[in-house]
Amino acid sequence: MAIEVFNRYEKKYRITDACYQKLRERLLTYMEPDAHSRDGEFYTICNIYYDTPQNELISRSLEKPVYKEKLRLRSYGVVTPEDKVFLEIKKKYKKKVNKRRTKLKLAEAYAFAESGELPKQQTYMNAQVLRELQYLLKRMNMELKPALFLSYDRVAMFGKDNKDFRITFDRNITTRRYDLGLHYGIYGEKLLPEDEWIMEVKIEDAMPLWMTKILSEFRIYPTSFSKYGTEYTRYMLGLEEKDEDAEEAAMTDERMYEDILFEE
């Protein structure tokens, strides 16, 4: 059964592909690839992030409050309406991440997120998490709607001596703000250069000493990075540039009109 409740700390790092190749080989002394990442193979994760029309959830998240939360729909690869996906609440309080999720068929997840009405209970669903999701939807006055598609290719590893210690490497981060469904496929704009990875270290307590030494040896330092937050910042900058271009175009048109009047 897939794990549906997570409590852990997550530290993020941006690394180059060259660094990833060397680091991965070093980590294999202490870690094992998960079932989907044998021989460095990756699997693809697709997400739909939900937000209000005013982008309240991501705006608040970027303010770095003590507590923040996200609602997202996640699949592993491209899915059909009858395939099972995960609907998740991801919360962060004082740097510790809590994630709660339940399996749903994609069509059930779409309907539930849209209406707030609980689906008919099935054995693959987590009833408690569904109630928590329903509470969040109603607390937000049913204003949470699909806001962003975001996918990436992932390589994952876990500790040989501690299965709860995990490291993931994500690349090929792709986003779009149209065709907001997991069934449409993977396409859109790239978030990072092709040769960059986001490494994420997931720990329940303290970082293993051997991992601390490896990070120091490779001169890898933590960074504040959010895939959704980075995309949103870029999106807002794009809107500002469009507004400035439109204002400049309007001023140009006005000057041209004044020149015509002057000539007449």
Side-chain angles (χ1 to χ4, degrees):
M1 180 180 293
I3 300 174
E4 295 179 336
V5 178
F6 302 81
N7 284 285
R8 62 199 182 195
Y9 294 97
E10 298 178 347
K11 296 183 179 295
K12 297 177 182 178
Y13 309 80
R14 288 178 68 166
I15 61 175
T16 64
D17 186 62
C19 179
Y20 161 73
Q21 300 297 338
K22 295 178 182 178
L23 179 60
R24 180 179 176 278
E25 290 302 313
R26 185 66 182 279
L27 290 174
L28 287 174
T29 303
Y30 305 94
M31 308 189 75
E32 296 178 355
D34 75 2
H36 303 287
S37 299
R38 304 299 180 187
D39 299 320
E41 293 182 3
F42 61 80
Y43 55 95
T44 301
I45 296 176
C46 302
N47 305 277
I48 297 293
Y49 284 88
Y50 286 75
D51 212 329
T52 67
Q54 296 77 32
N55 298 298
E56 293 176 55
L57 294 187
I58 188 59
S59 296
R60 175 171 171 76
S61 177
L62 290 174
E63 294 171 356
K64 300 187 182 302
V66 173
Y67 171 81
K68 58 185 179 181
E69 59 190 350
K70 295 176 183 176
L71 175 65
R72 71 184 178 197
L73 184 59
R74 167 168 289 189
S75 68
Y76 294 86
V78 179
V79 289
T80 70
E82 289 301 304
D83 288 328
K84 292 186 178 68
V85 297
F86 289 97
L87 190 59
E88 307 176 339
I89 306 175
K90 186 173 183 180
K91 306 175 183 179
K92 191 171 185 180
Y93 178 67
K94 291 185 176 180
K95 298 185 178 181
K96 191 164 190 177
V97 174
N98 174 273
K99 185 167 72 174
R100 305 176 67 78
R101 67 185 191 177
T102 180
K103 276 187 180 179
L104 292 166
K105 290 183 179 179
L106 180 60
E108 293 170 332
Y110 285 159
F112 175 47
E114 177 66 27
S115 68
E117 298 300 320
L118 291 172
K120 183 178 178 181
Q121 185 65 39
Q122 304 293 337
T123 56
Y124 52 82
M125 298 177 184
N126 185 316
Q128 174 59 33
V129 174
L130 279 171
R131 288 192 290 271
E132 293 176 24
L133 287 162
Q134 184 185 48
Y135 174 76
L136 172 62
L137 291 169
K138 292 189 175 181
R139 178 164 57 83
M140 299 300 295
N141 299 315
M142 295 306 300
E143 289 190 335
L144 295 179
K145 305 298 179 185
L148 177 72
F149 170 89
L150 190 151
S151 71
Y152 42 88
D153 298 330
R154 167 166 288 183
V155 175
M157 311 173 75
F158 59 88
K160 292 179 179 179
D161 298 328
N162 179 4
K163 306 300 183 185
D164 293 324
F165 178 66
R166 284 173 50 83
I167 297 179
T168 59
F169 299 91
D170 299 335
R171 69 180 302 181
N172 194 29
I173 304 171
T174 304
T175 68
R176 64 176 185 261
R177 287 183 170 268
Y178 53 91
D179 296 347
L180 295 176
L182 295 178
H183 60 289
Y184 288 118
I186 300 171
Y187 51 90
E189 295 72 45
K190 303 301 180 184
L191 195 63
L192 293 177
E194 189 173 325
D195 68 339
E196 282 196 21
W197 295 78
I198 298 299
M199 181 177 77
E200 196 164 332
V201 178
K202 307 169 191 290
I203 52 179
E204 289 192 343
D205 194 3
M207 183 92 71
L209 181 59
W210 57 262
M211 185 64 194
T212 301
K213 290 180 178 178
I214 289 176
L215 291 173
S216 177
E217 176 186 338
F218 279 77
R219 297 183 179 180
I220 299 173
Y221 306 104
T223 184
S224 177
F225 185 87
S226 160
K227 298 181 183 76
Y228 185 13
T230 300
E231 187 282 336
Y232 177 70
T233 300
R234 183 176 298 180
Y235 169 70
M236 294 304 294
L237 287 173
L239 290 182
E240 290 178 3
E241 289 175 358
K242 289 180 181 179
D243 288 344
E244 290 175 358
D245 290 345
E247 183 178 349
E248 178 62 28
M251 292 176 64
T252 300
D253 290 343
E254 184 177 347
R255 286 194 294 268
M256 290 176 62
Y257 180 67
E258 291 176 347
D259 290 343
I260 292 172
L261 289 178
F262 181 78
E263 290 175 359
E264 291 177 349

